[in-house]
Amino acid sequence: GAAAWARGAPVPYRALCDVLLAVEATTKRLEITEIVRSFLAKVLVRAPGELSDAVFLLCNKVAPQYEGIELGIGESLVVKAISQSTGRQPKDVKKAFDEVGDLGTVAQQSRSSQRKLAFGAKPKPLGAAYVLRQFRDLANIKGDKSQERKVRVIQGRLTNAVGDEACWIVRA
């Protein structure tokens, strides 16, 4: 089931990831509809102001189609961000991608195999609205060294991701 959160609190990105994982685990259309309906009903009760954010993230969009906003992030940038956030060599990330066929899975495997640092604070849980804002900010990065800046933003999100959040961030 989706991660719980208190009424009035922001929608945790973890809850959205749980929904995506449940949807991925079934091919039954009615079951998928019920999983998404149930989640959106919880959002409506607990954080109604974030309903549109949740819908955008579930649809893997950052804005309405008519706005024509694209993230502009290619495979090579994602490979670089995974490499920088996990300490794996880019060639190893690329090789894993060629074998697995899904960079989200590669990001998740890379994170789970990396050594955990013995110091530093546990990352603050990601909020769904915050993740969507980050995606929108990514889409607006233009100009000189924009690719490097995009990699840094993605790397930051991957570093702060918990559980399988890295997988869904990369897939988005």
Side-chain angles (χ1 to χ4, degrees), residues 47-160:
E50 293 188 25
L51 183 62
S52 65
D53 294 344
V55 170
F56 280 121
L57 288 167
L58 285 171
C59 295
N60 202 22
K61 301 285 184 197
V62 295
Q65 191 77 31
Y66 61 83
E67 289 184 11
I69 297 174
E70 297 284 327
L71 283 178
I73 299 168
E75 174 188 305
S76 63
L77 288 182
V78 176
V79 166
K80 192 172 184 181
I82 292 170
S83 171
Q84 290 178 4
S85 68
T86 63
R88 287 183 79 180
Q89 292 297 315
K91 65 179 174 52
D92 295 334
V93 173
K94 180 74 171 107
K95 182 179 179 204
F97 174 52
D98 291 341
E99 291 170 3
V100 175
D102 173 34
L103 275 173
T105 301
V106 171
Q108 193 59 39
Q109 291 170 347
S110 298
R111 283 185 51 77
S112 61
S113 67
Q114 81 185 76
R115 286 179 294 151
K116 302 294 180 205
L117 295 177
F119 58 91
K122 182 180 175 186
K124 182 180 163 196
L126 295 173
Y130 173 76
V131 171
L132 182 61
R133 274 194 314 276
Q134 291 290 303
F135 287 151
R136 288 176 176 164
D137 289 348
L138 272 174
N140 289 318
I141 294 175
K142 308 269 190 265
D144 191 39
K145 300 192 188 264
S146 62
Q147 303 301 326
E148 291 172 30
R149 294 194 331 255
K150 285 183 180 191
V151 167
R152 279 197 306 274
V153 171
I154 298 166
Q155 177 188 350
R157 292 304 61 76
L158 295 178
T159 302
N160 292 330

Side-chain angles (χ1 to χ4, degrees), residues 15-81:
L16 188 105
C17 291
D18 287 348
V19 170
L20 294 170
L21 192 61
V23 166
E24 183 182 53
T26 185
T27 57
K28 298 176 182 167
R29 203 183 85 211
L30 292 177
E31 195 173 319
I32 291 169
T33 301
E34 179 52 27
I35 291 165
V36 173
R37 186 215 57 78
S38 175
F39 172 69
L40 293 176
K42 288 176 188 169
V43 172
L44 241 139
V45 168
R46 298 175 185 170
E50 293 188 25
L51 183 62
S52 65
D53 294 344
V55 170
F56 280 121
L57 288 167
L58 285 171
C59 295
N60 202 22
K61 301 285 184 197
V62 295
Q65 191 77 31
Y66 61 83
E67 289 184 11
I69 297 174
E70 297 284 327
L71 283 178
I73 299 168
E75 174 188 305
S76 63
L77 288 182
V78 176
V79 166
K80 192 172 184 181

